[in-house]
Amino acid sequence: MLIILFLSEKTMRFNEIQRLFPDITHATLTKQLRILEDYGIVVRNVYSQIPPKVEYSLSDIGKKLKPILDSVMVWGEEYKQVLKKDEA
């Protein structure tokens, strides 16, 4: 979900995404991006230049997930407040 959330903000290169997840391995991030690409959520654009340039962005169907993620984030913030009240 976080990869989708970050890509909803802008098109990114692999290393940009990896910097957002410092504990993730190169192989794991590659696997996650490929899965999202296979599901049609992420688009991988390869530019034929030297050095090669690859960018990731959300597909049209992937962009439709943004309102859902926003709702989940709002719910999460509200739930954190409930937990704080319960701890008090």
Side-chain angles (χ1 to χ4, degrees):
M1 284 196 323
L2 288 175
I3 293 170
I4 297 167
L5 183 64
F6 290 128
L7 289 177
S8 73
E9 295 172 4
K10 66 178 184 172
T11 297
M12 302 175 84
R13 296 180 73 172
F14 185 90
N15 288 337
E16 289 179 280
I17 300 169
Q18 192 165 33
R19 279 193 289 273
L20 297 169
F21 302 96
D23 295 330
I24 196 169
T25 65
H26 186 279
T28 300
L29 180 56
T30 299
K31 181 179 176 182
Q32 293 300 309
L33 288 167
R34 284 188 183 150
I35 290 169
L36 291 169
E37 187 180 1
D38 288 346
Y39 286 142
I41 295 169
V42 168
V43 175
R44 181 176 184 261
N45 292 310
V46 180
Y47 299 93
S48 47
Q49 63 184 48
I50 298 176
K53 179 180 175 182
V54 179
E55 292 182 333
Y56 295 89
S57 60
L58 292 182
S59 65
D60 289 339
I61 197 72
K63 290 175 186 173
K64 291 184 179 192
L65 287 169
K66 178 72 167 117
I68 297 166
L69 293 176
D70 290 342
S71 294
V72 171
M73 288 176 51
V74 168
W75 177 86
E77 290 301 318
E78 291 173 0
Y79 187 65
K80 285 193 316 191
Q81 297 305 315
V82 169
L83 292 177
K84 286 181 183 177
K85 287 180 187 175
D86 289 345
E87 290 175 359

